[in-house]
Amino acid sequence: MTTSRLPRPTQDDRELWLWKVGRALTVTFAAAVLIAGRIFYGLVYLLDFQEIATTAKLDAKKLFDLVKLSFGVVAGAGALVALVVAYRRQRVD
């Protein structure tokens, strides 16, 4: 009896193993949020922060700070997507 052996894959025949884009982006977003949260709570612990003073009024300065923060979050998310796409492009090439 002869055993049928498949030829060994060469460098050109190997299949590239990548996660799907949705899964890769979900994992990187989740990791980024977890890391940011751990850094925040670590700094709160190290600085011995007691409490946040609450005010019922939202003035223009705080509103603009919130708008800047939201733009920063969106820019960071866009940068994360660009990094994942660039990594995948490098792996494929």
Side-chain angles (χ1 to χ4, degrees), residues 39-90:
I39 289 172
F40 175 76
Y41 283 114
L43 289 173
V44 166
Y45 176 75
L46 287 175
L47 296 174
D48 196 30
F49 196 69
Q50 298 299 322
E51 65 183 40
I52 298 174
T54 59
T55 59
K57 188 176 179 181
L58 182 65
D59 59 349
K61 183 179 183 330
K62 289 181 184 174
L63 180 64
F64 290 133
D65 286 341
L66 287 174
V67 169
K68 286 191 292 187
L69 180 65
S70 63
F71 282 138
V73 168
V74 170
L80 191 60
V81 169
L83 283 172
V84 169
V85 170
Y87 171 76
R88 291 175 60 88
R89 186 176 299 143
Q90 284 293 109

